[in-house]
Amino acid sequence: MKRATLEVTAAVGYLAVAFGLAIARATPATTYEASVYTGTPAVVWLAFALALAIAVGTTLAASGRQQGFAIALGAMVVTSIVSLPVVRNYRFSGMGDALTHLGWTQDLVYGELLPHELFYPAVHSFGAVFHYLGGIPIERALLVTLLALFVPFLVFVPLIVRDMTGSATAVGLAAIVSWMVLPVNNIATHMGVHTNSNALFVVPAVIFAVVAYLRRRPTGDRLPLGLSPFSILIYLTSILLLLIHPQQMINVVVLVGVLAGVQLLARFRFDDHPIVDHPTTYTHAVVLGALFTLWAASNARFRDAVSGLVYGLLTEDIGASAEVDQRGASLAEIGGSLGELFVTMFLEAAIIGLIVGLFVLVTWLGWSSVTPETSAFVTYFGLALVPLGGIFLVYFVGTPTMAFRQVGFIYVILTILAGVALAQLLGGLSRAITVPGATAVLSLLLGVLLVLGLVTVYASPVIYNPSQHVTDQQLSGYESSFEYESGDHPHVGLGYDPFRFDHGLYGLEGEETLSGASAASGEVDHEAFEAGNYSGAYNDVDHYLIVTAFDVTREVDVYQELYYSQAGLEGLEYDPAVNKVISNDEFRLYAIDSDR
């Protein structure tokens, strides 16, 4: 394809992104949206699809500066999709850990908490900085922080592959795979204000620093103590990662430790090998391990997490198998299945994982055509997957949520290796058919995988998990309900404990009880609720019941009345023990008398 044609085509793609963003901005969310995908106008998705198709095609067809424009276009499309809650003026996104992080950020802003008092203060500190510098609400500042920490993933994955291979084809393919955002699995890693997930997107910056250190031979310009600029970069990016979330720092320590071990063994076995020529990472492994140990071992949250893991390993009824069985039974009751959910959520990840696994095996058998230098890096990362997989297995038995966080990190590594693997696959297809034919086949495959990956970046009813969109009316309702206090009544929810909203509204460093006045919070018993026993549905005590648009969507539309039915919700309006005290379009608060 001619240079002028490539540039005009890329320009059309950029205009499509700009058009899509303008339409999205002009149609803000005015009520709760169960899915950002269906809530966003279809014309926006058509514009993004056009731009992404152009990005994929030109990335594979171009080289040099034109390929750079194409990669930037694809990254812009994906970043635009990730930014939709900000562009479409969501008040906030996230009803679990995200609200607690919002509370900690409020504590930082209002002087109730100092950054060093948090185990992982980076996200909250960035949010506070954006709040002050941008003059924007704290909720929005955290959503902007999410975007700022996401972009390094799209930037550094292709840069890593460029240093590993020097192949424009591999770089372009790595960029395309990064657009699938494979580290997000919506089980334990999420596209939201979730520090563990946010840390995953910074990991490629650390890996780039390591690869750059290994690839760029030292020159005469050295820093004091014999340090190289790339060593300093490794330490700085690792400290940032540590402050975002230490769990992902553990994985980086393991990765660098494996690199050091491979280098040590190579020096015993080989006299002439690319690994022998690489500068050693022994010191880096020790320093990074010491940094993590000093930061984490003295923290109570870390000790509690380790204790929970050990307890899970020693307790038979805790583990992923029990959780999977429970989820499978629930899905079957509403007409779904684990197989269907796997295809929706993990098919593209499984295909990429299979391709990478076969590529690593072929490389180790000496059947691939990669250069010895590239083969060395494949060996580094391939062997690192062994202990990283071992950690996954430990988590899988002990704490299933941690296991899927580990999967997120593993897919950062697989995303990097996928660029090299797919380049080899393209070369093999080109020899079997033709170069244009092979490019067309691979483009089609990647296009399908991109759709599968991007359609599950955010939670939605497609994966039986409605959006955690927090609206103005929801926050206003929660705030009014916490302020409305009669006696010592707990606030309870339908399958959701309201204490997270207390965190988001008032922080965590004030009074320990819910909203500073109420004694408890929790969830109603769904069996008593469905039997019409509203007064006895929560420990037979007077309580406040909160029902939101999110609850109704989740329980009635998505879970198809598995736990709470529309009839049960309507019965609240007529029961003499129930009094509606606060109501708007998306929030209702009922005072329930246990004596009636």
Side-chain angles (χ1 to χ4, degrees):
M1 189 180 294
K2 295 181 179 179
R3 175 179 173 181
T5 304
L6 284 171
E7 291 180 349
V8 170
T9 304
V12 171
Y14 281 104
L15 287 173
V17 176
F19 175 76
L21 286 173
I23 297 298
R25 180 65 179 169
T27 53
T30 55
T31 59
Y32 169 74
E33 294 183 347
S35 168
V36 70
Y37 300 103
T38 57
T40 302
V43 66
V44 175
W45 295 113
L46 290 174
F48 287 168
L50 172 62
L52 197 59
I54 291 173
V56 171
T58 51
T59 294
L60 294 179
S63 61
R65 187 172 65 175
Q66 283 69 40
Q67 187 188 52
F69 290 151
I71 291 174
L73 173 61
M76 184 177 292
V77 176
V78 176
T79 303
S80 298
I81 293 172
V82 170
S83 70
L84 282 174
V86 176
V87 173
R88 299 193 58 244
N89 204 32
Y90 278 27
R91 175 67 181 270
F92 193 60
S93 182
M95 295 185 183
D97 288 352
L99 286 169
T100 298
H101 295 309
L102 173 59
W104 274 323
T105 307
Q106 301 234 39
D107 290 333
L108 287 180
V109 168
Y110 297 121
E112 299 288 339
L113 186 70
L114 295 175
H116 70 271
E117 295 177 302
L118 282 170
F119 188 28
Y120 31 82
V123 168
H124 318 90
S125 301
F126 286 142
V129 169
F130 286 132
H131 165 70
Y132 281 122
L133 295 182
I136 56 178
I138 298 173
E139 299 94 334
R140 193 169 188 81
L142 281 175
L143 294 180
V144 172
T145 300
L146 157 67
L147 290 176
L149 294 178
F150 172 71
V151 170
F153 181 75
L154 304 178
V155 171
F156 285 104
V157 166
L159 290 178
I160 293 167
V161 175
R162 186 189 66 176
D163 264 12
M164 287 172 55
T165 67
S167 164
T169 301
V171 170
L173 289 166
I176 294 171
V177 176
S178 74
W179 303 340
M180 299 176 194
V181 199
L182 296 178
V184 170
N185 54 49
N186 277 304
I187 295 177
T189 58
H190 311 276
M191 187 57 70
V193 183
H194 184 250
T195 52
N196 196 292
S197 305
N198 304 144
L200 287 171
F201 301 128
V202 179
V203 167
V206 184
I207 297 177
F208 171 76
V210 173
V211 173
Y213 166 78
L214 295 173
R215 285 285 287 143
R216 289 166 170 79
R217 301 297 183 260
T219 64
D221 297 328
R222 306 287 290 184
L223 297 174
L225 303 177
L227 292 172
S228 75
F230 296 106
S231 291
I232 297 297
L233 188 60
I234 291 172
Y235 296 137
L236 291 178
T237 54
S238 297
I239 290 171
L240 173 61
L241 181 66
L242 177 66
L243 296 178
I244 297 174
H245 203 289
Q247 184 180 351
Q248 302 306 341
M249 179 64 172
I250 296 174
N251 291 320
V252 167
V253 172
V254 170
L255 174 64
V256 177
V258 169
L259 265 62
V262 171
Q263 290 177 328
L264 182 63
L265 292 175
R267 279 162 170 75
F268 276 112
R269 182 170 180 180
F270 303 110
D271 294 323
D272 182 19
H273 192 279
I275 292 178
V276 176
D277 295 332
H278 289 161
T280 63
T281 57
Y282 308 148
T283 302
H284 303 86
V286 173
V287 171
L288 296 184
L291 281 173
F292 170 79
T293 302
L294 290 173
W295 183 259
S298 60
N299 188 275
R301 285 177 62 87
F302 175 76
R303 294 195 298 269
D304 291 343
V306 172
S307 299
L309 174 61
V310 173
Y311 177 77
L313 289 170
L314 299 177
T315 306
E316 293 182 3
D317 60 347
I318 293 182
S321 59
E323 187 165 320
V324 168
D325 291 342
Q326 181 182 0
R327 297 286 177 89
S330 298
L331 280 171
E333 289 190 51
I334 59 176
S337 69
L338 285 176
E340 170 201 337
L341 195 60
F342 175 84
V343 170
T344 305
M345 296 177 66
F346 298 114
L347 180 61
E348 77 285 359
I351 291 173
I352 293 297
L354 177 62
I355 291 172
V356 170
L358 291 174
F359 165 68
V360 171
L361 178 61
V362 166
T363 300
W364 286 348
L365 292 174
W367 297 346
S368 73
S369 59
V370 297
T371 65
E373 184 73 30
T374 302
S375 178
F377 282 101
V378 173
T379 298
Y380 282 141
F381 290 128
L383 289 176
L385 290 172
V386 177
L388 292 172
I391 295 173
F392 163 77
L393 293 176
V394 172
Y395 286 150
F396 189 81
V397 176
T399 53
T401 298
M402 295 293 185
F404 283 97
R405 291 182 178 183
Q406 188 70 8
V407 170
F409 185 91
I410 289 172
Y411 265 94
V412 174
I413 305 298
L414 294 181
T415 297
I416 294 167
L417 289 174
V420 191
L422 289 170
Q424 290 290 297
L425 177 61
L426 179 61
L429 285 174
S430 299
R431 290 189 292 272
I433 44 178
T434 62
V435 173
T439 302
V441 170
L442 194 57
S443 296
L444 180 62
L445 172 64
L446 292 174
V448 172
L449 297 183
L450 268 173
V451 171
L452 288 173
L454 291 174
V455 82
T456 55
V457 164
Y458 277 110
S460 72
V462 169
I463 57 174
Y464 301 97
N465 188 14
S467 163
Q468 294 189 0
H469 173 199
V470 178
T471 66
D472 289 326
Q473 291 195 69
Q474 285 175 343
L475 273 184
S476 173
Y478 274 104
E479 187 172 18
S480 298
S481 71
F482 294 149
E483 291 174 354
Y484 182 91
E485 186 62 40
S486 177
D488 199 23
H489 296 3
H491 287 73
V492 300
L494 295 178
Y496 180 82
D497 193 324
F499 81 93
R500 294 285 196 176
F501 275 91
D502 180 63
H503 288 178
L505 285 165
Y506 304 109
L508 286 80
E509 296 302 311
E511 299 201 26
E512 294 180 1
T513 54
L514 185 68
S515 72
S518 183
S521 65
E523 304 172 16
V524 297
D525 177 78
H526 70 91
E527 293 181 352
F529 184 90
E530 282 300 291
N533 182 18
Y534 304 116
S535 59
Y538 186 76
N539 299 331
D540 292 314
V541 299
D542 294 347
H543 60 276
Y544 293 114
L545 173 63
I546 294 172
V547 180
T548 69
F550 167 74
D551 299 324
V552 175
T553 299
R554 183 191 64 231
E555 299 298 337
V556 177
D557 298 336
V558 178
Y559 294 169
Q560 300 178 28
E561 304 184 336
L562 178 61
Y563 302 113
Y564 303 95
S565 67
Q566 184 65 44
L569 292 170
E570 291 174 353
L572 288 167
E573 305 294 331
Y574 309 106
D575 193 288
V578 180
N579 179 35
K580 185 191 293 182
V581 292
I582 296 175
S583 177
N584 63 38
D585 290 342
E586 299 180 25
F587 184 95
R588 285 171 284 165
L589 178 71
Y590 299 92
I592 299 182
D593 186 351
S594 63
D595 295 328
R596 298 181 65 179

